[in-house]
Amino acid sequence: FIALPFLLPLLILPTVRFGPPGASFALLASALLAAGIAVSGADLPTAMPAEERLRALQVFLIVAGVPLLFLSALVEERRQAMETVRERLRFEKLVSEISGAFVHIPSHEMPHVFETWLERVTGFLGLDRAALWEFAGSRQAMAPVAWWSSPGAGPPPRRLEVESLTPHVADLLLRHEPFVVTETAMLGAGPDREFLQWFGVRSLL
């Protein structure tokens, strides 16, 4: 087992590159290879019982495997943190581009630009539909100013009466507060869930 420490680079490289899956695969491959060598005794100049060789192999794998698993967890944590930062930067860039897009645009041209940026937002967030609504008349109804939807989603209603909403949703909108549903299945039985299911909504902001 003098050669076993030389396996460490082959264990560390997959761990650093692929995280926990790489560490698990490297340990498994090394264990199978070393077990075959231990049983055959091909790397030992003296006769040594196979049981002792396998016991020594187990000790080596424990000593080498535990730090590798900790290292792979740290690698995976760092990768996820970097991915979170990367997505955050992409989102902030999108928000900055949206803000800058309307600086020099006349108000009468904004609806056309709204559609372009709604398409960008839906693509970035992986949504089926995004719409910009405004209250019409005496705030008893809402109409879409601009919208974009995927081919399967279809357009939003041309007019949505506030009284057709549930009292909870209508109250939030009238007070300019957000209504957020991450998943309709998580809502308890009630008018809000029935209202969203009637529209075929899975999640909504």
Side-chain angles (χ1 to χ4, degrees), residues 111-127:
H112 301 290
V113 183
F114 285 152
E115 294 180 1
T116 300
W117 285 101
L118 287 174
E119 180 179 0
R120 290 278 301 274
V121 170
T122 54
F124 181 88
L125 298 177
L127 307 176

Side-chain angles (χ1 to χ4, degrees), residues 24-142:
S24 300
F25 178 78
L27 285 172
L28 176 62
S30 300
L32 294 177
L33 176 62
I37 296 175
V39 172
S40 65
D43 66 333
L44 293 175
T46 59
M48 186 177 181
E51 294 181 359
E52 294 185 13
R53 295 197 294 267
L54 289 176
R55 190 177 299 111
L57 171 62
Q58 291 175 350
V59 172
F60 171 80
L61 291 177
I62 292 173
V63 172
V66 172
L68 281 177
L69 292 177
F70 278 110
L71 176 61
S72 67
L74 292 175
V75 170
E76 180 65 17
E77 183 178 352
R78 182 175 181 272
R79 186 193 65 79
Q80 292 179 358
M82 292 179 61
E83 185 65 24
T84 300
V85 172
R86 190 179 298 112
E87 287 299 314
R88 180 67 181 180
L89 291 176
R90 288 182 60 229
F91 177 75
E92 291 180 353
K93 179 182 177 183
L94 177 65
V95 172
S96 176
E97 292 175 349
I98 292 175
S99 301
F102 294 94
V103 174
H104 303 292
I105 297 177
S107 58
H108 65 278
E109 296 181 5
M110 284 189 176
H112 301 290
V113 183
F114 285 152
E115 294 180 1
T116 300
W117 285 101
L118 287 174
E119 180 179 0
R120 290 278 301 274
V121 170
T122 54
F124 181 88
L125 298 177
L127 307 176
D128 295 322
R129 179 193 295 163
L132 182 64
W133 297 74
E134 68 176 357
F135 284 108
S138 58
R139 297 166 63 90
Q140 299 301 312
M142 295 188 302

Side-chain angles (χ1 to χ4, degrees), residues 135 138-140 162 167-177:
F135 284 108
S138 58
R139 297 166 63 90
Q140 299 301 312
V162 174
H168 174 230
V169 176
D171 181 62
L172 290 175
L173 293 178
L174 291 172
R175 288 190 283 116
H176 297 171
E177 295 183 8

Side-chain angles (χ1 to χ4, degrees), residues 160 162-173 175 177-205:
L160 188 62
V162 174
E163 63 181 12
S164 66
L165 304 174
T166 66
H168 174 230
V169 176
D171 181 62
L172 290 175
L173 293 178
R175 288 190 283 116
E177 295 183 8
F179 175 58
V180 182
V181 177
T182 56
E183 188 177 349
T184 53
M186 298 177 63
L187 289 175
D192 286 352
R193 180 173 180 175
E194 295 176 1
F195 172 76
L196 295 176
Q197 288 180 336
W198 185 78
F199 275 100
V201 173
R202 297 192 302 271
S203 58
L204 173 72
L205 168 61

